[in-house]
């Protein structure tokens, strides 16, 4: 059942979530981008802001309206709230000849995510497959993921680097949320349609002021969805992915390796990249040591460092590993795509490498796809 | 080694500003612990009392710029079991390696009233050009925590945890907003060796490359991206050629507009 929120409805939702003792995380404007942070009320949300994203480029822009969700992928993803950049795994202390090992309990802060886009819902599902595997459950992730309350938001204005409709992950949330919002804004009327996706979502929705959506409201929502699909900035064809995987000697691999900085920004911003390294440290006294898990990336040399050197020493082999893992071997490993089409890796690549463009080029045997901006 | 036999530490200076060895004194809270585990046998910046070598660990600051340096570093190596170079001067030749691109005789005539008093080399070069080095710690200046990590690792007999990947990884781990993509600010982070904790981007500045080239730094592609943002050749030349100018691939990185009297490219 779809409801239309009253004027203060969104703020009431935030308040209700906070009253449940949850830290509410949502999109905010900071340092010239829309990113995620803890919010206290709906007033912290990026009302009146949108952005222009393109390969290697991001520019915040005012909408001139009071729309709250008129943007696409925020610069950060949700993964850091579930799988923090650094996690202490164990601390060991030596007293005379006895070594005491302390394993901190994983933190389980009650959280709510507000404004989760459909691609990012799919990304949470991907992370769940990785970290909540019954045979190898990750305690940190499991504790934090716990009962996160999820307020999803349908995308009305996909960005120029978005391609969720190609990946069948959006732009309208289908499952995996407690509440899902769609913002409708046309001239005079500005409404937030809300739908519950769980019992506790329905219970919370019953607490806030709303009315039942009319047939017209539902029809407007459908139009908004169709416009979003039509406005998708990028496209990735699944048959191209299959073909791109076939030829390890394709000259495009050399071409992209020449441009790639191996800087790892793509993997850091990706909502599904989950690799980590384990760092052991000892202190000066030689009596205390710690083991940390830190985000790592397949773009570093250390990532495949074995005795005698790195297995993937060329940037070519590292880019190829990244792209084919995301799009192809992830399916074998986790029964899902590692890419959900959020476009972050395209926007935040300093040299604007665009995986959709690379795949399209790799799928052609004649190499006739010119690069955007490349000299003819 | 048994715990009551402290390994000895020596700190050496070549052509440098002293900022890196000052980092050791700067370890205020940890300095006592360092002194507890290591005998500070030769550290003129801290004490004129000197214990004769050989030394277990030597920290070497500065680059080789004089004929005297060339001989002295051999002696330092002979006296040192484990030799760590600290900072951009010692690991890359430092800012003074800009002379390597020019004509030293001419520079001397411009700067000094009586150039004949000087005895200097045509180049400023890193320590590793002259003697084998056991570990190189980057930075201008080095990072205090990294220095303590190298010392702790030495004491524990393990490899130091010092990443050689890009500054971008540190930057993203701090959830900084990328100044290059979002603000169009020139930033060398993608080709620069981590270690500073992305200090400049954290304060909305581009990275200046203090820690020198990262592993597999792709300066060609970086330069293309900076040029596309409107950076001119001269500005680009300056960006790549600062404290780590003599380190490849920064050394041969793009292309000065005005190339007279440049060598080594
Ligand atoms: S694809 Fe882009 S963001 Fe990723 S490592 Fe290469 S240059 Fe960096
Ligand atoms: S690979 Fe790129 S587009 Fe796909 S999910 Fe990761 S960041 Fe988003
Ligand atoms: S600000 Fe600089 S160091 Fe940070 S991610 Fe961007 S390019 Fe890399």
């Amino acid at each position: 059942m779809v409801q239309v929120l009253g004027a203060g409805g969104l703020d009431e939702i935030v308040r209700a979530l906070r009253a449940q003792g949850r830290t509410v995380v949502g999109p905010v404007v900071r340092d010239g981008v829309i990113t995620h942070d803890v919010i206290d009320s709906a007033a912290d949300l990026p009302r009146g802001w949108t952005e222009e994203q393109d390969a290697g480029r991001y520019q915040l822009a005012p909408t001139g309206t009071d729309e709250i969700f008129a943007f696409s992928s925020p610069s950060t993803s949700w993964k850091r709230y579930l799988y923090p950049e650094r996690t202490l795994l164990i601390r060991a202390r030596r007293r005379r000849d006895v070594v005491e090992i302390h394993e901190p309990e994983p933190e389980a802060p009650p959280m709510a995510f507000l404004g989760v886009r459909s691609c990012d819902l799919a990304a949470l599902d991907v992370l769940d497959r990785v970290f909540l595997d019954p045979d190898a459950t990750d305690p940190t992730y499991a504790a934090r993921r716990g009962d996160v309350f999820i307020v999803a938001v349908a995308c009305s204005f996909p960005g120029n680097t978005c391609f969720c409709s190609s990946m069948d992950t959006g732009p309208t949330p289908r499952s995996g949320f407690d509440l899902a919002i769609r913002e409708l804004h046309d001239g005079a009327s500005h409404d937030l349609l809300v739908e519950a996706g769980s019992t506790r979502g329905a219970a919370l929705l019953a607490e806030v002021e709303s009315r039942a959506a009319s047939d017209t409201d539902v029809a407007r929502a459908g139009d908004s969805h169709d416009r979003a699909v039509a406005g998708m900035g990028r496209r990735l064809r699944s048959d191209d992915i299959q073909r791109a995987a076939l030829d390890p000697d394709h000259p495009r691999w050399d071409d992209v390796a020449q441009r790639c900085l191996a800087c790892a920004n793509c993997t850091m911003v990706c909502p599904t990249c989950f690799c980590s390294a384990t760092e052991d440290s000892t202190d000066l006294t030689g009596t205390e040591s710690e083991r940390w898990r830190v985000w790592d990336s397949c773009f570093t040399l250390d990532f495949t460092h074995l005795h005698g050197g790195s297995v993937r020493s060329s940037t070519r082999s590292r880019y190829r590993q990244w792209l084919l893992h995301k799009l192809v071997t992830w399916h074998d490993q986790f029964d899902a795509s590692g890419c959900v089409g959020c476009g972050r890796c395209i926007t935040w690549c300093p040299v604007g490498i665009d995986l959709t463009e690379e795949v399209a080029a790799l799928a052609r045997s004649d190499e006739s796809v010119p690069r955007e901006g490349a000299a003819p | 080694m048994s715990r009551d036999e402290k390994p000895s530490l020596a700190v050496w200076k070549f052509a440098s500003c002293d900022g890196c060895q000052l980092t050791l004194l700067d370890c205020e809270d940890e300095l006592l612990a360092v002194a507890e585990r290591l005998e500070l046998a030769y550290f003129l910046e801290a004490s004129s009392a000197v214990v004769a070598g050989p030394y277990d660990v030597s920290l070497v600051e500065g680059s080789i710029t004089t004929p005297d340096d060339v001989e002295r570093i051999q002696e330092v190596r002979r006296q040192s079991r484990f030799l760590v170079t600290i900072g951009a001067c010692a690991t890359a030749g430092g800012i003074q390696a800009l002379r390597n691109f020019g004509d030293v005789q001419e520079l001397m005539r411009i700067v000094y009233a009586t150039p004949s008093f000087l005895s200097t080399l045509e180049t400023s070069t890193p320590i590793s050009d002259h003697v084998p080095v056991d570990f190189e710690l980057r930075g201008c200046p080095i990072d205090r925590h990294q220095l303590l990590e190298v010392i702790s690792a030495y004491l524990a007999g393990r490899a130091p945890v010092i990443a050689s990947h890009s500054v971008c990884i540190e930057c993203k781990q701090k959830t900084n907003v990328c100044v290059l993509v979002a603000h169009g600010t020139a930033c060398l982070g993608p080709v620069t060796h981590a270690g500073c904790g992305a200090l400049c981007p954290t304060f909305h500045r581009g990275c200046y490359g203090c820690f020198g080239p990262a592993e597999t730094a792709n300066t060609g592609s970086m330069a293309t991206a900076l040029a596309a943002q409107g950076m001119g050749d001269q500005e680009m030349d300056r960006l790549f050629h600062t404290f780590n100018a003599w380190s490849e691939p920064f050394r041969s990185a793009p292309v000065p507009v005005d190339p007279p009297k440049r060598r080594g490219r």
Side-chain angles (χ1 to χ4, degrees):
Chain A
M1 199 176 56
V2 184
Q3 296 288 113
V4 181
L5 286 183
L10 190 58
D11 208 37
E12 283 178 60
I13 291 178
V14 176
R15 227 175 299 143
L17 290 168
R18 282 165 54 91
Q20 293 176 0
R22 297 177 187 277
T23 302
V24 183
V25 183
V28 298
V29 172
R30 174 167 70 83
D31 298 340
V33 302
I34 296 166
T35 177
H36 292 119
D37 209 339
V38 174
I39 60 166
D40 295 334
S41 76
D44 294 338
L45 298 168
R47 185 187 290 270
W49 290 102
T50 185
E51 87 287 78
E52 282 163 29
Q53 303 198 30
D54 211 333
R57 215 170 55 78
Y58 185 105
Q59 174 82 54
L60 204 58
T63 57
T65 69
D66 58 356
E67 283 160 289
I68 304 168
F69 298 110
F71 52 91
S72 57
S73 283
S75 64
T76 46
S77 79
W78 301 94
K79 78 175 169 188
R80 59 181 301 255
Y81 294 99
L82 304 171
Y83 161 50
E85 293 85 352
R86 297 180 63 82
T87 312
L88 179 65
L89 298 179
I90 49 177
R91 180 175 280 142
R93 187 168 287 146
R94 191 176 63 200
R95 294 191 198 287
R96 293 195 194 85
D97 290 332
V98 185
V99 177
E100 294 164 13
I101 294 189
H102 170 67
E103 228 178 302
E105 276 299 309
E107 286 174 34
M111 291 186 285
F113 295 169
L114 189 150
V116 184
R117 302 310 175 116
S118 192
C119 58
D120 282 346
L121 283 176
L124 291 178
D125 177 64
V126 170
L127 290 182
D128 288 351
R129 286 164 193 257
V130 175
F131 287 120
L132 300 182
D133 179 335
D135 295 330
T137 306
D138 180 73
T140 304
Y141 182 90
R144 303 181 73 93
R145 179 79 163 99
D147 71 339
V148 179
F149 191 101
I150 290 185
V151 183
V153 167
C155 276
S156 309
F157 304 100
N160 212 357
T161 54
C162 291
F163 55 103
C164 65
S165 52
S166 296
M167 307 313 285
D168 196 26
T169 57
T172 300
R174 285 180 297 227
S175 63
F177 54 82
D178 295 293
L179 292 175
I181 296 177
R182 175 181 295 279
E183 184 171 38
L184 292 174
H185 186 282
D186 29 37
S189 70
H190 182 193
D191 293 313
L192 295 176
L193 270 55
V194 187
E195 189 181 355
S198 68
T199 340
R200 63 181 185 172
L204 191 131
L205 187 52
E207 286 178 40
V208 304
E209 194 202 316
S210 69
R211 62 164 171 88
S214 65
D215 289 349
T216 328
D217 294 327
V218 174
R220 283 162 73 210
D223 293 346
S224 166
H225 169 87
D226 294 344
R227 276 198 305 275
V229 172
M232 207 59 55
R234 295 283 202 276
R235 186 160 91 119
L236 187 58
R237 295 167 47 123
S238 52
D239 48 340
D240 279 358
I241 295 175
Q242 299 317 317
R243 272 200 296 275
L246 293 178
D247 183 5
D249 297 321
H250 198 293
R252 184 73 178 200
W253 292 118
D254 299 313
D255 180 274
V256 69
Q258 238 173 27
R259 284 172 283 133
C260 177
L261 303 165
C263 63
N265 276 305
C266 48
T267 57
M268 296 286 124
V269 295
C270 178
T272 69
C273 273
F274 60 84
C275 285
S276 62
T278 310
E279 287 182 357
D280 286 339
S281 70
T282 48
D283 75 339
L284 281 166
T285 66
T287 56
E288 294 216 17
S289 77
E290 289 178 347
R291 170 164 293 177
W292 288 81
R293 177 172 78 176
V294 294
W295 283 8
D296 199 4
S297 167
C298 51
F299 279 96
T300 74
L301 276 181
D302 267 355
F303 191 80
T304 56
H305 188 95
L306 301 178
H307 171 77
S310 288
V311 176
R312 296 193 199 102
S313 56
S314 70
T315 299
R316 184 187 194 278
S317 63
R318 281 175 266 156
Y319 187 84
R320 190 164 177 273
Q321 149 67 25
W322 176 74
L323 189 74
L324 295 186
H325 188 216
K326 286 269 108 164
L327 297 174
V328 182
T329 49
W330 208 293
H331 284 280
D332 307 329
Q333 209 178 351
F334 301 111
D335 208 14
S337 167
C339 174
V340 297
C342 74
R344 288 185 179 90
C345 58
I346 306 173
T347 299
W348 297 101
C349 172
V351 291
I353 292 173
D354 171 352
L355 81 168
T356 65
E357 201 178 302
E358 296 312 314
V359 167
L362 285 160
R364 303 270 186 103
S365 51
D366 58 4
E367 247 237 310
S368 63
V369 180
R371 228 164 54 230
E372 222 179 288
Chain B
M1 95 195 91
S2 90
R3 294 217 62 199
D4 31 326
E5 236 181 83
K6 285 201 248 180
S8 56
L9 176 78
V11 183
W12 308 95
K13 176 182 163 63
F14 289 82
S16 60
C17 77
D18 277 39
C20 288
Q21 45 175 313
L22 195 61
T23 306
L24 183 56
L25 285 179
D26 244 0
C27 299
E28 293 162 3
D29 293 341
E30 296 86 0
L31 197 56
L32 279 178
V34 172
E36 198 134 296
R37 299 293 313 277
L38 290 165
E39 179 189 17
L40 300 183
Y42 183 94
F43 186 12
L44 295 181
E45 191 168 282
S47 163
S48 50
V50 165
V51 180
Y55 307 98
D56 292 300
V57 188
S58 276
L59 302 179
V60 180
E61 175 194 89
S63 68
I64 303 298
T65 59
T66 67
D68 179 57
D69 289 347
V70 174
E71 282 167 33
R72 197 159 55 94
I73 189 60
Q74 298 299 334
E75 184 53 25
V76 169
R77 178 68 266 191
R78 266 193 294 278
Q79 297 269 349
S80 311
R81 293 205 172 87
F82 189 72
L83 189 154
V84 180
T85 53
I86 56 171
C89 299
T91 60
I95 189 82
Q96 58 274 27
L98 286 176
R99 70 161 71 167
N100 304 5
F101 299 93
D103 180 342
V104 170
Q105 301 307 321
E106 189 188 316
L107 289 173
M108 288 201 304
R109 277 195 298 277
I110 297 169
V111 177
Y112 295 98
T114 318
S116 56
F117 290 172
L118 301 182
S119 162
T120 190
L121 300 172
E122 294 282 318
T123 54
S124 167
T125 44
I127 302 299
S128 61
D129 278 10
H130 301 268
V131 295
V133 168
D134 297 298
F135 193 82
E136 293 192 304
L137 193 57
R138 306 279 203 89
C140 183
I142 53 169
D143 175 83
R144 192 166 74 92
H145 301 286
Q146 290 210 323
L147 178 62
L148 290 168
E149 166 60 14
V150 169
I151 294 173
S152 305
Y154 170 80
L155 290 167
R158 63 175 171 87
V161 180
I162 305 280
S164 56
H165 54 57
S166 70
V167 172
C168 297
I169 292 186
E170 296 185 305
C171 199
K172 283 287 187 288
Q173 287 179 353
K174 288 179 102 169
T175 59
N176 289 342
V177 169
C178 176
V179 301
L180 186 70
V181 170
H183 306 163
T185 303
C187 181
L188 282 184
V191 292
T192 298
H193 192 289
C196 63
L199 186 59
C200 290
T202 304
F203 293 95
H204 316 305
R205 305 291 297 262
C207 165
Y208 295 97
C210 306
F211 280 61
E215 61 186 25
T216 65
N218 185 348
T219 46
S221 178
M222 184 81 238
T224 308
L226 293 171
Q229 289 198 345
M231 183 178 281
D233 287 353
Q234 202 156 8
E235 206 184 333
M236 187 107 66
D237 184 23
R238 290 200 161 207
L239 186 62
F240 277 108
H241 299 124
T242 58
F243 325 103
N244 293 280
W246 198 239
S247 238
E248 287 291 11
F250 283 9
R251 188 203 298 190
S252 46
V255 190
V257 246
D258 169 22
K261 293 197 222 79
R262 276 173 183 276
R263 289 180 293 130
R265 283 167 191 275

